[in-house]
Amino acid sequence: MKVFNPDPEKAAKKGAKEEGLLSDLSALDKKTVLQIVDSAFVFSCCWSLCVTVNTQFRRPFDLFFRKVCNGEIDGILKFNNRKILPEALNKGTIYDYVFFPDKNEWKPWLSLVDKDSIDKFAKDAVVQDIVVTTIDTIRYSYIQEHCIYNEIPTLFVGPTGTGKSVYINNVLLNTLPKEKFNIIQIGFSAQTGSNQVQGIIDQKSDKRRAGIFGPKMFGMKAVIFVDDLNMP
């Protein structure tokens, strides 16, 4: 069994034989392997099944999720009669921490940034282009970047005016290496049609062979960002 790094580029720089390969679990002792797999499972559940819960109900759902993992719900067996929630999650909620399989360690999301250097904006910065660092910008940017590197399509949903497009654009334009990714942005409206969408993508792509299109520069990957998907 193998565990994969959220950032294949960084893993490759460390000398991993396969792109994105973090470590071979067969080289670790059984107890450590179980801890990594359990934690990876909990983190994956949190940011897949549990991520659809809005802010108001995250605390109650966190309590329910803990009871499920601990086998405290009638009719639900405990996971192989062992505890899978790490001690690090005893404070806060399951949404407040990120798991690093290479170190087998849970850390608060806010520990991913340098508090002394963040949010030092230029004096001539445009207000609408400023992204203030919060726990939400950190974790959503991290998850978005992870999904892009691993080619996982995502749907970012939420109420109007909550900064969804800003979060995504911050990752696409300021985080991803421009020499590796070709960003194609499409804004949907009530009049948007399928032919128009295909035309936009075709304009920013090159035809490689019959029926095969790709970024204009070889070695790059295309990332298509569709804004206001619900409009047409």
Side-chain angles (χ1 to χ4, degrees), residues 1-222:
M1 182 180 292
K2 299 172 182 178
V3 176
F4 288 83
N5 195 307
D7 187 343
E9 299 291 334
K10 293 179 181 178
K13 292 179 181 178
K14 293 180 180 179
K17 294 181 179 180
E18 299 178 34
E19 187 178 69
L21 183 60
L22 180 63
S23 60
D24 191 338
L25 297 186
S26 62
L28 304 175
D29 62 88
K30 183 177 179 180
K31 181 178 180 180
T32 303
V33 170
L34 288 176
Q35 290 175 346
I36 293 176
V37 173
D38 287 346
S39 294
F41 172 77
V42 171
F43 184 73
S44 299
C45 282
C46 175
W47 294 102
S48 57
L49 301 175
C50 310
V51 77
T52 57
V53 180
N54 61 25
T55 305
Q56 178 184 357
F57 295 101
R58 282 191 174 183
R59 183 57 184 172
F61 189 86
D62 167 76
L63 297 175
F64 175 78
F65 185 80
R66 292 173 185 274
K67 290 181 180 179
V68 171
C69 292
N70 294 330
E72 299 174 2
I73 303 296
D74 292 338
I76 299 179
L77 298 177
K78 192 174 183 178
F79 286 87
N80 201 24
N81 294 320
R82 56 190 171 84
K83 183 178 180 180
I84 70 170
L85 290 178
E87 297 294 335
L89 298 188
N90 288 342
K91 296 181 180 180
T93 71
I94 58 174
Y95 300 98
D96 296 331
Y97 297 87
V98 56
F99 177 62
F100 293 95
D102 56 339
K103 299 179 180 179
N104 189 21
E105 183 179 13
W106 287 85
K107 290 185 178 181
W109 284 108
L110 292 174
S111 68
L112 300 186
V113 297
D114 182 1
K115 296 180 181 179
D116 296 327
S117 62
I118 61 173
D119 295 345
K120 291 185 177 180
F121 307 113
K123 294 182 179 180
D124 58 347
V126 182
V127 175
Q128 56 265 32
D129 293 336
I130 293 177
V131 179
V132 178
T133 303
T134 65
I135 187 173
D136 285 330
T137 61
I138 296 171
R139 56 190 175 191
Y140 295 146
S141 297
Y142 179 93
I143 296 295
Q144 187 68 49
E145 187 178 357
H146 161 84
C147 291
I148 291 174
Y149 272 113
N150 292 277
E151 301 180 2
I152 303 173
T154 57
L155 180 64
F156 199 175
V157 300
T160 302
T162 52
K164 300 183 298 297
S165 299
V166 175
Y167 293 166
I168 295 174
N169 276 316
N170 186 47
V171 173
L172 297 181
L173 304 179
N174 301 326
T175 303
L176 297 180
K178 293 179 174 57
E179 67 276 9
K180 294 290 185 180
F181 294 93
N182 177 34
I183 310 301
I184 302 176
Q185 294 184 316
I186 305 174
F188 276 9
S189 68
Q191 287 75 39
T192 302
S194 57
N195 291 335
Q196 182 182 358
V197 173
Q198 182 174 347
I200 295 174
I201 297 176
D202 289 345
Q203 287 176 5
K204 298 187 178 183
S205 305
D206 273 353
K207 186 175 182 180
R208 302 290 170 80
R209 57 182 184 272
I212 303 297
F213 293 81
K216 295 186 177 182
M217 296 293 292
F218 282 92
M220 297 183 69
K221 293 183 178 181

